Amino acid sequence: TVRPKNEVEQKQLCAFGEYMAEILPKYIQQVQVTCFNELELLIHPDGIIPVLTFLRDHTNAQFKSLADLTAVDVPSRQYRFEIVYNLLSLRFNSRIRVKTYTDELTPVDSAVSVHKAANWYEREVWDMYGVFFANHPDLRRILTDYGFEGHPFRKDFPLSGYVEV
Amino acid sequence: QTTGLVGLAVAENPHERLRILYTKILGVLQNIPKDAAYRKYTEQIVNQRFSLVQTETDVQKLQDKLNSGHIEEVIVQAENELSLARNMLQWKPWEPLIEEPPSDQWRWPI
């Protein structure tokens, strides 16, 4: 069986995506809606805090809840890491994904000033990928061992690590 | 009497508070260039809510008409919109794109 296509929701998300692109042309590079009705905003890294505060505070887009903050490593690109924020709006019951990019050495603004929940998620991204977050209150390792060297989730880190156990 | 929500006290005289907040928001929006989409849409929303607040004096009926939860939540939302408008003056998001991404950045599958 195939999941039925929800045309109404697709149109609503497309309309909302166009609304966003019209209001914030300085930071939004692309807007896409997947076939599973998921809206994604592709952002320039300077615009993380403006876009996230807009999504949190604006009346038509009250995305008060940060559901997830992750990163994706694509080593063949110039900016290899892609930071992904998943937001949920409780008032309108809808989700949105915000994506940014960075390479290994460029710091990214911390989302902690916008969403307090981003604290440990950003620590995890720092620990696992090595993406530095500027203005983070307490950026240190969270999952790896105390003297661990390296960033495990990168694609060039071997599966069984460098140290023999 | 309570709102039923943790941390939100019942607002006495919500019409007055909303009137003050909406006039402040409209004042901040005047400083944004007239052709910015943000100013257009936010003025539309604020004027719509403002007219509803001014015409409807009963709190329950106003809550139903606004269809946005309790009046105290509407007040919180207006305060958020005000701080957002003030921040928008600093960030100026209506300017054209800062920087194009590299051409293979958002291609998927790679």
Side-chain angles (χ1 to χ4, degrees):
Chain A
T1 50
V2 181
R3 180 202 282 219
K5 266 188 159 308
N6 192 346
E7 283 295 342
V8 176
E9 199 181 344
Q10 184 105 11
K11 282 207 180 54
Q12 280 172 338
L13 288 175
C14 285
F16 185 68
E18 283 163 12
Y19 176 73
M20 292 289 309
E22 205 185 331
I23 295 195
L24 298 168
K26 188 173 177 184
Y27 303 114
I28 300 187
Q29 288 160 353
Q30 235 179 286
V31 178
Q32 43 196 51
V33 180
T34 44
C35 60
F36 315 109
N37 299 339
E38 295 170 359
L39 180 56
E40 301 187 355
L41 292 178
L42 309 180
I43 307 282
H44 185 275
D46 286 344
I48 296 181
I49 296 190
V51 170
L52 288 179
T53 31
F54 177 83
L55 287 171
R56 186 190 58 163
D57 288 340
H58 190 65
T59 332
N60 274 355
Q62 297 170 23
F63 288 96
K64 304 266 185 227
S65 170
L66 178 73
D68 200 8
L69 208 184
T70 27
V72 184
D73 181 20
V74 187
S76 57
R77 291 179 185 164
Q78 183 196 352
Y79 294 100
R80 70 189 282 198
F81 299 116
E82 207 180 272
I83 319 280
V84 181
Y85 300 81
N86 285 315
L87 300 162
L88 165 66
S89 165
L90 303 161
R91 170 73 54 210
F92 300 116
N93 188 17
S94 78
R95 295 179 184 262
I96 197 171
R97 198 173 301 138
V98 177
K99 289 203 197 184
T100 344
Y101 52 81
T102 182
D103 56 11
E104 297 159 20
L105 301 172
T106 322
V108 160
D109 282 323
S110 174
V112 169
S113 53
V114 182
H115 288 103
K116 286 274 174 292
N119 201 324
W120 277 20
Y121 286 123
E122 287 183 349
R123 275 177 65 185
E124 186 196 351
V125 168
W126 156 250
D127 196 13
M128 294 289 125
Y129 290 93
V131 179
F132 186 76
F133 288 93
N135 307 322
H136 185 101
D138 187 20
L139 195 65
R140 52 193 161 96
R141 61 174 74 254
I142 192 171
L143 291 172
T144 48
D145 195 10
Y146 290 107
F148 195 88
E149 284 159 12
H151 295 283
F153 282 2
R154 290 190 179 181
K155 292 285 194 272
D156 45 3
F157 192 91
L159 181 59
S160 43
Y162 293 118
V163 176
E164 189 186 315
V165 170
Chain B
Q1 39 157 342
T2 66
T3 47
L5 300 163
V6 178
L8 266 188
V10 176
E12 74 284 333
N13 208 352
H15 293 84
E16 185 61 32
R17 182 97 184 100
L18 280 173
R19 188 183 62 83
I20 299 174
L21 281 168
Y22 287 145
T23 30
K24 276 190 188 173
I25 295 176
L26 288 170
V28 171
L29 286 179
Q30 297 300 323
N31 297 333
I32 301 182
K34 200 121 191 13
D35 57 349
Y38 175 66
R39 172 171 175 168
K40 203 171 50 175
Y41 290 120
T42 321
E43 276 184 343
Q44 196 184 359
I45 300 172
V46 167
N47 284 329
Q48 198 183 353
R49 290 198 167 191
F50 203 176
S51 60
L52 275 177
V53 163
Q54 280 169 326
T55 49
E56 185 63 63
T57 39
D58 179 33
V59 173
Q60 265 302 96
K61 287 216 196 84
L62 182 56
Q63 271 172 207
D64 294 330
K65 273 194 187 167
L66 283 174
N67 195 17
S68 185
H70 287 275
I71 276 288
E72 289 77 19
E73 286 181 340
V74 175
I75 294 176
V76 166
Q77 182 54 43
E79 284 163 3
N80 285 345
E81 191 73 57
L82 181 58
S83 78
L84 179 67
R86 288 189 178 135
N87 283 331
M88 285 303 192
L89 275 180
Q90 313 267 317
W91 294 324
K92 303 193 198 348
W94 47 85
E95 290 161 5
L97 193 56
I98 308 179
E99 199 188 341
E100 285 287 334
S103 54
D104 63 341
Q105 182 64 41
W106 297 123
R107 181 159 21 112
W108 192 262
I110 318 173

